[in-house]
Amino acid sequence: MAVVEETGATVTAAPRPRGGPLRSVRDSLVVAKRNLLRMMRIPEMVVFGLVQPIMFVVLFSYVFGGAIMVPGQASADATVYREFLMAGIFAQTVTFATAGAGAGIADDMHKGLIDRFRSLPMARGAVLTGRTLADLVQTALTLVVLAIVAVIVGWRVHDGVLKALGAFALLLLLGYAFSWIGALIGLSVRTPEAATSGGLIWLFPLTFISNAFVPSSKMPAVLGHIADWNPFSATVQASRQLFGNPEGVVSDAWPMQHPALASVLWSLLIIVLFRTLAVRKYRSATA
């Protein structure tokens, strides 16, 4: 469709898509399939994505496991710490996928692929939704492998399969929410390298100022309060409860008293906010 502006210039605009929500779902699934096929053709993307979380499991389990004492225990016990640790490693894995999501979108922008999608009669936001859904599938596969490694090093689920599946659902919801932050970063920078750096620089303080690796009760008061209200901490705490793993000393902060509900609310809030910002950025972005 050609549009003639007052200046006399002719601009090519995509026809308005029709079909409503069903069209949006179909377009999103088509884009998700495209990204999944791309991942299958480049298996090293998945393999390298597994290396870091497996390294964290092994290093924290065997290097720090015997030196860190979980509150409530008489002495440092490597087995107890491994069970305390794993929910944090799972959560860190799903959130660190944000950097890869941002880099992928930035790469598509750099190659002009986003502009091609924008010229098609597709539902607005379908490109980003499809990309984040594909990243969610990859994250789920990573969690499966990581859970197997965790079992090998001594991690166990104590409250049944259904609750464990609920914990993994909360983790994937958090990962999906953070993938929208990655999408916004990817649309806001010029190169994939910048997206990777921008995606990691804020994730380290987010994950380490939390209850993932040490209980918040062992932190200075200010950092402990921040950790208790950290969305990341809520998901970690909820996962520990559902897995039946050691929780350490739980603070009186509302998210720590109701971690499952807090995890869902935080994740939904992040999705709504950053999806809105990302889709708005997508509409105006140029390669």
Side-chain angles (χ1 to χ4, degrees):
M1 180 185 298
V3 179
V4 180
E5 297 181 341
E6 294 181 359
T7 59
T10 302
V11 179
T12 301
R16 289 182 176 273
R18 297 178 181 179
L22 290 179
R23 175 61 180 270
S24 179
V25 171
R26 188 180 71 178
D27 290 347
S28 298
L29 292 177
V30 169
V31 176
K33 180 180 178 181
R34 173 254 176 191
N35 283 283
L36 288 173
L37 289 173
R38 181 188 179 194
M39 291 175 188
M40 292 174 61
R41 291 168 184 163
I42 314 176
E44 54 267 29
M45 292 174 58
V46 179
V47 173
F48 291 154
L50 288 171
V51 172
Q52 179 176 294
I54 291 175
M55 284 174 52
F56 271 107
V57 171
V58 175
L59 288 174
F60 275 87
S61 296
Y62 292 104
V63 177
F64 301 114
I68 299 178
M69 184 176 68
V70 178
Q73 303 297 315
S75 61
D77 187 324
T79 301
V80 173
Y81 182 69
R82 286 186 196 118
E83 294 203 341
F84 174 85
L85 169 73
M86 283 315 306
I89 294 291
F90 290 148
Q92 184 189 56
T93 299
V94 300
T95 53
F96 270 43
T98 301
I105 291 176
D107 186 51
D108 288 343
M109 284 280 293
H110 186 67
K111 293 177 178 177
L113 187 61
I114 294 294
D115 280 344
R116 295 175 204 163
F117 279 132
R118 291 174 63 210
S119 68
L120 298 175
M122 298 175 63
R124 294 177 178 179
V127 172
L128 300 181
T129 302
R131 174 75 203 202
T132 54
L133 287 175
D135 291 332
L136 181 64
V137 173
Q138 183 178 357
T139 300
L141 293 175
T142 303
L143 275 181
V144 170
V145 175
L146 195 58
I148 294 173
V149 175
V151 170
I152 293 174
V153 301
W155 173 71
R156 296 293 183 269
V157 171
H158 300 286
D159 283 350
V161 175
L162 290 179
K163 286 189 175 182
L165 291 176
F168 283 118
L170 290 177
L171 289 163
L172 290 174
L173 180 62
L174 180 71
Y176 182 70
F178 275 59
S179 69
W180 282 105
I181 301 177
L184 179 61
I185 293 173
L187 291 168
S188 303
V189 299
R190 297 183 180 181
T191 64
E193 294 79 9
T196 301
S197 299
L200 289 175
I201 196 170
W202 59 275
L203 280 172
F204 278 102
L206 181 82
T207 55
F208 281 93
I209 305 178
S210 73
N211 60 0
F213 305 110
V214 296
S216 60
S217 59
K218 288 192 172 184
M219 299 179 184
V222 174
L223 290 182
H225 187 70
I226 294 173
D228 289 338
W229 285 88
N230 185 342
F232 186 86
S233 294
T235 301
V236 171
Q237 188 68 20
S239 298
R240 286 187 180 124
Q241 288 185 356
L242 292 170
F243 288 141
N245 293 156
E247 301 176 32
V249 176
V250 181
S251 77
D252 294 331
W254 185 86
M256 295 298 97
Q257 294 296 318
H258 308 86
L261 178 59
S263 175
V264 172
L265 291 177
W266 274 120
S267 295
L268 292 179
L269 177 62
I270 292 170
I271 291 172
V272 171
L273 175 61
F274 283 93
R275 187 184 189 280
T276 301
L277 295 174
V279 171
R280 184 177 300 173
K281 185 70 176 178
Y282 168 78
R283 292 173 182 171
S284 61
T286 56

